[in-house]
Amino acid sequence: MTYSVMIKNNSDEIRDFCIFQTNANIKDPYIKSLAWQVLKLTPNAMGRIMWTMDYNFVWAQTGHLQAGGLFKTAEMSKATPFENNAITFTKKEQSYQFIDLTTDRNYTGLLHVKNDPTIALQEVSVGSGMSNAAVFARQAEPNMSINFPTQNEYVITFGYFTKGEVLDTNQISNSAVIKFPPNVYEVTAILNPDNTWSLQTNE
C-alpha cells in the first residue's frame, strides 16, 4: 500500500518540507531521527511525497553522529518487523557490511542490529529505513545491540533541510503530526501564510 502526502506551500517563501519519524517508545537517547523525506517548494506551489511500508537496515560512515550531520547510506538491506528482523554489522577486510540476516522472535515488531567486536568507535552509524530512505540512526559501537522501532509517528515540518540530515527534534517547533485513519492513505498538508499547518484527510 502506498501512502501519500500532498503538500501546499501557501507561505511567501521557498521552503524545504521535511517528513521525519518519531516514536515515544524509544528509550535510547542516542537514536536520532533523520530527515527522511524532503521536498522543496516555491510559494503557492504544491508537491507530493509518497512511500510504502517497506523496511530496511541501513548504515553510513558518519564519523561522530551529531545533529546537523548527514547520514549518507552506504548499504541497505531489506527487512520486516516480523521476518528477517535481525542482522549483524561487522567489518571484514577493512570494509563494513551487514551479514547474517535472520528472524529473531525476541525482537518481533522491531529491527534489531547486533554490532560485533570489529566495529570501531566514532566511525560509523547504523539505522533503520523505510521505503528505501533512512529513518533512524545511532552511533555504532562494538558489542552493542540496538533496537529500532517500527509503527512510528510521521511529523512534517519546514525550514532548511537536506535528506538524511541528523535532526535535533527538540529544536523543531513548527511541525504537525500526520495521521492516517483506517483505510485512508492520502493526507493534504497545507502551510498557511502565518506558518501554521492545516491537515486534511483525503477519503
Side-chain angles (χ1 to χ4, degrees):
M1 188 60 65
T2 299
Y3 290 80
S4 173
V5 177
M6 175 62 74
I7 303 170
K8 296 182 179 180
N9 181 12
N10 285 349
S11 75
D12 59 359
E13 295 185 18
I14 298 174
R15 305 289 196 184
D16 290 329
F17 291 88
C18 171
I19 296 178
F20 62 94
Q21 297 188 31
T22 62
N23 193 306
N25 293 321
I26 294 177
K27 305 303 181 186
D28 185 341
Y30 298 103
I31 293 179
K32 306 296 185 183
S33 294
L34 305 175
W36 172 50
Q37 303 286 348
V38 177
L39 177 66
K40 186 182 294 291
L41 292 175
T42 56
N44 300 312
M46 66 177 62
R48 188 184 302 274
I49 291 176
M50 303 171 66
W51 66 87
T52 57
M53 299 285 284
D54 297 310
Y55 293 92
N56 315 99
F57 291 107
V58 295
W59 70 264
Q61 292 188 291
T62 57
H64 176 56
L65 186 72
Q66 58 186 338
L70 201 59
F71 187 100
K72 295 183 178 180
T73 301
E75 182 184 357
M76 184 174 291
S77 179
K78 291 185 177 181
T80 77
F82 305 101
E83 302 287 339
N84 295 328
N85 65 328
I87 205 163
T88 298
F89 187 52
T90 189
K91 189 176 186 179
K92 291 185 176 181
E93 299 178 354
Q94 305 304 311
S95 178
Y96 285 102
Q97 56 190 281
F98 286 129
I99 61 171
D100 299 336
L101 178 65
T102 188
T103 299
D104 193 326
R105 303 300 181 194
N106 293 316
Y107 303 105
T108 297
L110 301 170
L111 299 184
H112 176 78
V113 180
K114 178 184 178 182
N115 297 280
D116 77 6
T118 65
I119 306 303
L121 292 170
Q122 305 292 309
E123 193 168 280
V124 288
S125 298
V126 294
S128 62
M130 180 188 286
S131 200
N132 296 319
V135 171
F136 292 115
R138 194 206 190 280
Q139 193 83 62
E141 299 181 27
N143 301 305
M144 171 181 282
S145 292
I146 305 170
N147 293 319
F148 295 98
T150 59
Q151 301 300 315
N152 305 311
E153 190 171 69
Y154 304 108
V155 182
I156 188 169
T157 188
F158 66 90
Y160 302 97
F161 296 96
T162 300
K163 190 171 183 177
E165 180 180 342
V166 183
L167 303 177
D168 181 351
T169 56
N170 292 323
Q171 299 300 315
I172 296 176
S173 58
N174 51 359
S175 62
V177 176
I178 300 171
K179 295 184 178 181
F180 293 91
N183 301 315
V184 174
Y185 304 99
E186 182 170 316
V187 170
T188 297
I190 302 169
L191 181 63
N192 300 310
D194 63 354
N195 293 323
T196 60
W197 288 98
S198 298
L199 272 67
Q200 304 168 356
T201 56
N202 303 331
E203 301 292 341

